[in-house]
Amino acid sequence: MGYGRSDSYRVATTQDKVDKSPKKKKGAKDMDDLKKEVPITEHKMSIEEVCRKFQTDIVQGLTNAKAAEYLIRDGPNALTPPPTTPEWVKFCRQLFGGFSVLLWTGAILCFLAYAIQAATEDDPAGDNLYLGIVLTAVVVITGCFSYFQEAKSSKIMESFKNMVPQQALVIREGEKVQINAEEVVGGDLVEVKGGDRIPADIRVVSAHGCKVDNSSLTGESEPQSRSPDCTHDNPLETRNVAFFSTNCVEGTARGIVICTGDRTVMGRIATLTSGLETGKTPIAKEIEHFIHIITGVAVFLGVTFFILAIVLGYSWLEAVIFLIGIIVANVPEGLLATVTVCLTLTAKRMAKKNCLVKNLEAVETLGSTSTICSDKTGTLTQNRMTVAHMWFDNQIHEADTTEDQSGERGRGRRVPLFDKSSVTWLSLARIAGLCNRAQFKAGQDALPILKRDVAGDASESALLKCIELCCGSVRASRDRNKKVAEIPFNSTNKYQLSVHETEDVNDNRYLLVMKGAPERILDRCSTILLQGKEQPMDEELKESFQNAYMELGGLGERVLGFCHVMLPEDQYPKGFAFDTEDVNFQTDNLCFVGLMSMIDPPRAAVPDAVGKCRSAGIKVIMVTGDHPITAKAIAKGVGIISEGNETVEDIAARLNIPVSQVNPRDAKACVIHGTDLKDLSQDQMDDILRNHTEIVFARTSPQQKLIIVEGCQRLGAIVAVTGDGVNDSPALKKADIGVAMGISGSDVSKQAADMILLDDNFASIVTGVEEGRLIFDNLKKSIAYTLTSNIPEITPFLLFIIVNIPLPLGTITILCIDLGTDMVPAISLAYETAESDIMKRQPRNPFRDKLVNERLISIAYGQIGMIQALGGFFAYFVILAENGFLPTRLVGIRLNWDDRSCNDLEDSYGQQWTYEQRKIVEFTCHTAFFVSIVVVQWADVIICKTRRNSVFQQGMRNKILIFGLFEETALAAFLSYCPGMDVALRMYPLKPSWWFCAFPYSFLIFVYDEVRKLLLRRNPGGWVERETYY
Amino acid sequence: MDLVVLVAFSSWLAPTLASVADEDKDYDSAFHYDYESLRIGGLVVAVLLFIMGIALIVTRKCTCSNSDKSRPRGPDVESAVPKDS
């Protein structure tokens, strides 16, 4: 954000570097401005007016002087790159973001405590220093890890740049010159031809069969023709404007440049996309909430014991060190690494299932998603026109539109096959094959027909493929019926015809075939082919034609009519010169054969995926640039508008009443047109999003897509957007999670997205939702597990302060638990399978269902943690008692115990202990306490496997978890028994019996939690669930 | 699994218990404990546990890669070969 786009409009671009402060203020306003509709008005002006506005000439073009002047005024015709964040800033964000803050604070406090100790004591204990260093190391290592993991770069602007045309043909001072596209200025007269990229937004002044591919801008699959007349108020829909960086597919056109660079429609999208600020991911918010809780607990404990220490008569400095010690002890050192690794593992797992996650935190987002806004073209549909229906022999036939021609349409439905032997069908197929200019590109015979590339427009290609599939080689048929004459399609005729020789060598007649707009074709026909016989066209047949036409049109399909006639030999003998300019042959009294209708059909996996999203409580909204009828048809086809649900218009039509009389509350579904959307107020918009469950937005501009996403977010929804085009990119960026298509998606959309579906399969989203929900649950378990051991780690220090016993657990041993033994079991919980069908429950409510809540803290700290602490202390007292220090002797012994000069400390039996001997016993106790925590954590990891089910229901199939149990025990034994550990980490070998001190407590934890979960399952919604279900 | 752990523990207990039993005759000698064999026994157990854990993971990897290979291939094969109607 923060670069004034509209400023540079008025002043030269060199201004860019001058004052940055006023720009920042304007940043917000500019973004609002960008979100508004395109301010182009030139399409409504006459050509003369446009010329006057830019002081240009319709024939001569701009003068060179004028062009140079404009170039200085407007700047080059290029997209301004956004200010890029340097790599080190990104790295620092990883280093100081989210969870790391907690650890940094801990580290700083540690150094502070050490500094105090160093200043006051002669021989300060190094514990705090080590702890500080370890904490720093943990943050830095994890920071590096996630930095390299993500390594995502916001190269959005660069991918836009790739779309920019390099050269442009302009007319200046009456001469055609080829110049760099960057030098094109407003008012330039530009010529484009088929295959070119449009160099700027141009107002077409003349065109010859010009068609442009606007799919990157509007999402329409088929090329749009361009002509000089204004056909629509909306600049995006009118025929006389062609847009920057769209492709001219065929024909030629000449136009006046009306916008250049960032001011073009595409430039606005680019600026909008790269300027959008995205909020925090849901998981980041949860972690923040977690940090608040942990900090709260830590500060509360710290301050309480600080006061207690003062009351007990410690000095201020000692109390401060205790305060810091307690706060730091609350920091779960290993959790940052655990969370990062868990998310990474899920990301890897999703990548295996073809969901590539660019941002680690986005792994969970799909799981929280409550609304999916999906683009239609290319996401829900295959983005290729396909013949869907045919009408011949007075009957509608369905064609197979599935991607693999399997006939499967999801939910077990199959396409009924039609009779391919009908003579009418053969005639229809022949017309469709002959009256067709599309052809397969060379050298693709090995490929399956549907995968071959076709040269020609979308609907002709669809016909070609359909015929090739059903009736064999079209080329052979064309060879047999040599083309004699042809009139290509144009918008005034609305038909295309060609004249062919017949297959039969002895038959000297010519065959005339014609296809075009059905009503035009019907007007030219006097007979109709039924079951292979020509019959006169009567009113009844005309009506049935009308019905079929209406029905197919109502399905959002593009309908073409086909007819043919055998030209009589006496009028058109062999060698007759057909003149296509001045038509000298019969073009009426033809024989109508049938209709074929085409649509961009939905992908096979989509209906099931939409159904699964529904049952998972996720609202699926279609947002498309395409026409409402087509959009609605596809929405119905894929189940976004489910069967039986009606829109207001449907109800009105069914009850035969005006739309205004229908209660909008009755209609669950609704289809909203982009132009209506423009006039809606924010409240009306909220109203629609809240009250309709099945919504289709049609004819939406990229800006409107963004507004829709923002509307959903305003209502508290977590929004996922799927899309593949440039027009989706602002919405993709703004969404909580943008999902782009890996194969068909444009680079821009992939850059703006957080997740990429590598196989373009919408169904992968369902996988994403499932994995996201699973990892959320498992992170809860992992955190519950990790936090539990905090209590047995803190309580020794607290008792050390309050009752003055020798320290039961040292800093090093705490670190061994947090960063050593606890790690693998905590991570292994990420591999836990779901307890129930997570796709059957509602998405979590981000305000209510938190990752870490009070109940989790109460279970971990208040219940299980306390039992663990008891286990640890039991081992501690057992060892000291075996050595002669009975618990009663220990209370208040601390000052003497830690006194180096006291070498004759007596135990309960009167034995005297030197300082060094005492310390060995103390460190043996540390080791025993440590081992006891490992033992009770066995039980903890097993109870944390499930939140509601019993372990016996869940089973122990998680092998990583069993591995974790083995490894933590092995590590504990290693630390205790490895020679040299007494010097390195001050850990001593334990007698075997001391291992078993904590076993009863471990068992107690298991039983306690099983009983709790049993009660929880027995009384759903009861006290136990309300108070302890995390 | 717990059974295995128990067995491991008891086998490691036996020699040290025996050594303790040997020594409790002379009450006046200085307290002595055989830390050497304890250390060795402990390390052996640690290594055993470690190897068992690794073995578990390795066997898991095998079954995992097998099932992974078979699963995605199924649908791929179907979609790669279109059935011409």
Side-chain angles (χ1 to χ4, degrees), chain A residues 859-875:
Chain A
I859 285 276
Y861 278 9
Q863 299 164 44
I864 310 298
M866 289 301 173
I867 304 178
Q868 294 195 335
L870 287 181
F873 275 107
F874 180 65

Side-chain angles (χ1 to χ4, degrees), chain B residues 7-30:
Chain B
V7 170
F9 267 110
S10 44
S11 64
W12 153 50
L13 266 167
T16 44
L17 283 178
S19 70
V20 170
D22 279 344
E23 269 176 50
D24 61 357
K25 282 174 191 163
D26 185 2
Y27 295 100
D28 292 329
S29 68

Side-chain angles (χ1 to χ4, degrees), chain A residues 143-365:
Chain A
C144 294
F145 181 73
S146 41
Y147 172 73
F148 288 113
Q149 261 298 315
E150 295 193 2
K152 61 157 193 176
S153 42
S154 56
K155 288 179 187 154
I156 293 170
M157 226 37 180
E158 278 148 53
S159 51
F160 270 105
K161 270 190 174 163
N162 292 338
M163 303 172 24
V164 177
Q166 298 301 310
Q167 295 280 314
L169 190 65
V170 298
I171 298 166
R172 282 186 186 165
E173 296 184 347
E175 279 178 47
K176 284 187 185 180
V177 276
Q178 187 92 23
I179 58 168
N180 259 338
E182 280 197 2
E183 291 164 25
V184 172
V185 295
D188 257 332
L189 202 55
V190 195
E191 265 196 11
V192 285
K193 57 179 190 307
D196 286 356
R197 284 239 164 109
I198 314 272
D201 283 1
I202 59 173
R203 159 76 160 86
V204 176
V205 293
S206 67
H208 295 285
C210 175
K211 279 193 173 178
V212 290
D213 177 10
N214 272 358
S215 61
S216 62
L217 208 58
T218 61
E220 288 157 311
S221 334
E222 46 204 87
Q224 310 285 304
S225 65
R226 294 288 111 162
S227 62
D229 338 295
C230 173
T231 53
H232 205 284
D233 276 353
N234 187 341
L236 283 174
E237 299 208 20
T238 182
R239 287 257 171 90
N240 59 354
V241 181
F243 299 101
F244 182 43
S245 91
T246 56
N247 264 324
C248 177
V249 183
E250 57 183 59
T252 57
R254 184 180 277 208
I256 298 173
V257 173
I258 48 177
C259 295
T260 55
D262 287 337
R263 289 169 303 283
T264 58
V265 174
M266 202 61 91
R268 288 168 64 93
I269 297 176
T271 322
L272 183 60
T273 308
S274 56
L276 279 174
E277 292 252 323
T278 46
K280 280 186 181 141
T281 56
I283 195 77
K285 284 183 197 153
E286 292 304 319
I287 286 178
E288 197 166 281
H289 178 247
F290 169 53
I291 292 176
H292 288 160
I293 290 187
I294 285 286
T295 319
V297 172
V299 170
F300 169 76
L301 273 179
V303 170
T304 312
F305 280 86
F306 175 76
I307 295 169
L308 216 60
I310 297 284
V311 171
L312 288 174
Y314 287 98
S315 74
W316 276 96
L317 277 177
E318 273 177 316
V320 168
I321 290 181
F322 290 158
L323 170 78
I324 293 174
I326 290 168
I327 290 177
V328 173
N330 266 292
V331 176
E333 289 91 350
L335 204 51
L336 173 62
T338 309
V339 171
T340 313
V341 171
C342 287
L343 290 177
T344 313
L345 287 173
T346 310
K348 288 259 159 68
R349 199 156 50 195
M350 284 165 97
K352 244 189 218 168
K353 294 179 181 169
N354 289 322
C355 293
L356 190 73
V357 184
K358 282 168 62 188
N359 177 352
L360 212 47
E361 284 176 354
V363 165
E364 189 274 333
T365 315

Side-chain angles (χ1 to χ4, degrees), chain A residues 140 164 254 336 452 513 536 621-622 765 797 802 818 886 931 977:
Chain A
V140 172
V164 177
R254 184 180 277 208
L336 173 62
R452 294 187 201 165
V513 289
I621 296 176
M622 182 195 276
I765 286 185
F797 192 55
I802 298 175
D818 282 350
L886 294 178
V931 163
Y977 295 114

Side-chain angles (χ1 to χ4, degrees), chain A residues 352 963 966-967 977 990 992, chain B residues 12-13 39 49-50 53 57 68:
Chain A
K352 244 189 218 168
F963 166 78
F966 277 110
E967 293 311 281
Y977 295 114
L990 294 183
Chain B
W12 153 50
L13 266 167
R39 275 220 152 100
L49 282 171
F50 184 76
I57 288 293
D68 270 5

Side-chain angles (χ1 to χ4, degrees), chain B residues 17 19 25 33 42 52-53 62 66-70 76 82-83 85:
Chain B
L17 283 178
S19 70
K25 282 174 191 163
Y33 192 83
M52 275 164 73
C62 282
N66 280 344
S67 63
D68 270 5
K69 263 180 208 165
S70 62
D76 265 3
K83 291 159 198 163
S85 57

